[in-house]
Amino acid sequence: MTVEVEPPVPPDSPQDVTAPVAEESATPPATRWDGTEVTAALPVDDTSAVSVAAPQPAPVLPPSLPAPLPVPVSLAVPAVPPVRPRGVVRRVATLLGIVLLSGTAGGLVGAKVATDSRSPVLPALVPGQTTRPEGSVAQIAAATLPSVVTVRVKDAEGSGTGSGFVIDTDGHVLTNNHVVSRAASGGAISVQLSDGTQQDAEIVGRDITYDLAVLHIRGGSALVPLQFGRSSDVVVGDGVIAVGAPLGLEATVTTGIVSALGRPVTAGDGTEQSYISAIQTDAAINPGNSGGPLVDMAGHVIGINSAIARLPGSTSSSGSIGLGFAIPSDKAHATAAQLISTGKATHPVIGVKIDTAYDGEGVRVSTKEDAVTSGGPADLAGVRAGDVILRFQGRVVSTPDELIVAVRARDVGDQVTLEIRRDGTTRTVTMTLVAAGG
């Protein structure tokens, strides 16, 4: 007897799910998701939000063929004449059994169910792990997530999503300036807490230079502030955890290490340009992570996620490529305190204008008459128009952005050294940084 079995119909392949970017397109050499220019070792995008497209309904499969008729349970296979070799008998019986099982499985299973009503007995479920060791990713994530919020901004031009975190019980939330800047001159900001509740928020203060902003929501005991750690104690190789709402998916946790320190990153355009001496990490940071915390393996905030790199030559970002950048907590903590106190932050300067057209070694001070601020730090230290700055604090500077980032990474009142060259002669000068506009 020959029983033919219709081959199964292969299921359709999974549908693609795309994540269209909700922010503006990037501009060379690199941009944020809000369209502002970004410059780093690689092109950089900020991590504004995008939305995830809903999956399409599953395709309807054609109706299945009628099940084969059952074979009577009492059906017996005729005995094989004893003159045949035993090996042949065993093989014929086996082959026949396979044909019957393949072609009449429905009948045989039906007969089994009809004669045996007992349910299969599986091993009982064993209890899962109910506690997580101190310092584990799971334990740190559980302690951090209640303090992380999702920031939503809407204005006449559209909407965007970022992240933030609670910094005190008075209702202050720290995030990136580029997350909320579109609402600074008109627009609505809302904050979604970890329990899903939403509150309207207002801007307390924002700082373009450091790309930071403080929001205010209703305070109370339900708010759990995160503790800041010292970014100056961080070393390359330290484990880190990034928390936020990438692509609008709140309460997302990713892990990685600190892959570099002091990475010069500039972002924005002429009117809203920020300068960051960034912590570089390979923890996955994507659009929507902006403003969320980067915490160490003690659960302390050591950075504020701000930007991601994109491949050279590309005009848009496809997401994390393992190069994310965070604002160091030392600078973020000091700036947040100033914004809460006065609504603005101070920035250190040396008091010189840079010649951006110069392409030689180091960074050249402009040759214009007003290149060196009279009575400023550089002037008092003996720097003159046309001098070439080779090193800042012993570190080589090759571009204007590197020099500005290095200066802005310091604090007002810090004493610093510059190595300068004039007429072929190199010398080192010392100066004390002052506040911009001071």
Side-chain angles (χ1 to χ4, degrees):
M1 177 176 64
T2 301
V3 180
E4 296 182 355
V5 181
E6 183 73 10
V9 178
D12 289 345
S13 60
Q15 300 182 56
D16 292 332
V17 178
T18 60
V21 177
E23 297 293 333
E24 295 84 30
S25 60
T27 57
T31 59
R32 285 195 182 123
W33 288 84
D34 58 8
T36 55
E37 182 177 333
V38 180
T39 305
L42 288 176
V44 180
D45 292 314
D46 72 33
T47 49
S48 305
V50 297
S51 59
V52 179
Q56 300 299 317
V60 179
L61 297 177
S64 58
L65 297 177
L69 296 176
V71 175
V73 177
S74 59
L75 177 65
V77 178
V80 179
V83 295
R84 295 183 180 178
R86 293 183 61 190
V88 174
V89 173
R90 185 173 295 111
R91 182 175 181 184
V92 171
T94 303
L95 289 175
L96 182 57
I98 292 173
V99 171
L100 290 174
L101 290 174
S102 299
T104 61
L108 295 179
V109 171
K112 177 65 177 175
V113 172
T115 58
D116 187 357
S117 61
R118 291 178 300 173
S119 298
V121 178
L122 298 177
L125 295 175
V126 298
Q129 186 177 357
T130 57
T131 60
R132 302 298 185 270
E134 190 76 16
S136 66
V137 172
Q139 182 270 326
I140 295 170
T144 303
L145 283 169
S147 305
V148 180
V149 303
T150 300
V151 181
R152 293 187 170 88
V153 180
K154 182 180 294 185
D155 66 359
E157 297 181 359
S159 61
T161 303
S163 304
F165 60 97
V166 177
I167 58 177
D168 61 27
T169 56
D170 293 331
H172 291 115
V173 171
L174 185 61
T175 185
N176 282 142
N177 172 63
H178 74 257
V179 171
V180 298
S181 60
R182 65 189 305 165
S185 57
I189 304 174
S190 65
V191 168
Q192 180 176 315
L193 303 179
S194 61
D195 62 1
T197 59
Q198 294 197 34
Q199 293 191 30
D200 292 336
E202 61 180 8
I203 297 175
V204 174
R206 63 191 189 100
D207 184 74
I208 297 170
T209 295
Y210 295 136
D211 192 22
L212 292 169
V214 173
L215 308 178
H216 185 262
I217 59 176
R218 293 190 307 274
S221 58
L223 299 181
V224 183
L226 286 181
Q227 183 175 352
F228 283 88
R230 292 186 180 275
S231 55
S232 55
D233 293 337
V234 174
V235 298
V236 173
D238 280 350
V240 290
I241 302 172
V243 188
L247 308 182
L249 303 174
E250 63 271 4
T252 296
V253 176
T254 58
T255 64
I257 63 168
V258 172
S259 49
L261 294 170
R263 187 70 75 194
V265 174
T266 60
D269 55 26
T271 59
E272 290 207 355
Q273 192 161 23
S274 56
Y275 300 88
I276 306 168
S277 179
I279 297 173
Q280 180 180 308
T281 179
D282 66 350
I285 297 175
N286 287 284
N289 270 117
S290 278
L294 185 71
V295 302
D296 61 17
M297 299 311 293
H300 300 152
V301 178
I302 53 101
I304 290 79
N305 302 319
S306 181
I308 56 176
R310 57 180 170 81
L311 295 174
S314 62
T315 57
S316 63
S317 173
S318 58
S320 173
I321 60 171
L323 293 171
F325 305 101
I327 303 164
S329 59
D330 291 357
K331 185 59 65 178
H333 183 272
T335 303
Q338 291 178 348
L339 293 177
I340 293 172
S341 177
T342 66
K344 59 182 181 180
T346 59
H347 317 115
V349 295
I350 61 175
V352 298
K353 293 181 180 179
I354 302 302
D355 181 0
T356 56
Y358 173 75
D359 61 358
E361 180 186 13
V363 178
R364 188 169 69 180
V365 179
S366 174
T367 57
K368 295 181 179 180
E369 291 184 4
D370 62 347
V372 180
T373 303
S374 177
D379 181 37
L380 296 178
V383 177
R384 298 293 178 260
D387 285 353
V388 176
I389 301 172
L390 301 175
R391 295 176 182 267
F392 178 87
Q393 285 292 89
R395 182 170 180 172
V396 172
V397 289
S398 302
T399 67
D401 285 348
E402 285 184 3
L403 176 61
I404 296 172
V405 167
V407 172
R408 295 291 170 87
R410 311 291 297 190
D411 294 322
V412 173
D414 283 355
Q415 192 173 71
V416 298
T417 60
L418 268 67
E419 183 180 302
I420 63 174
R421 185 178 63 212
R422 183 190 306 159
D423 299 329
T425 301
T426 300
R427 65 193 183 104
T428 299
V429 298
T430 302
M431 64 189 66
T432 301
L433 301 179
V434 299

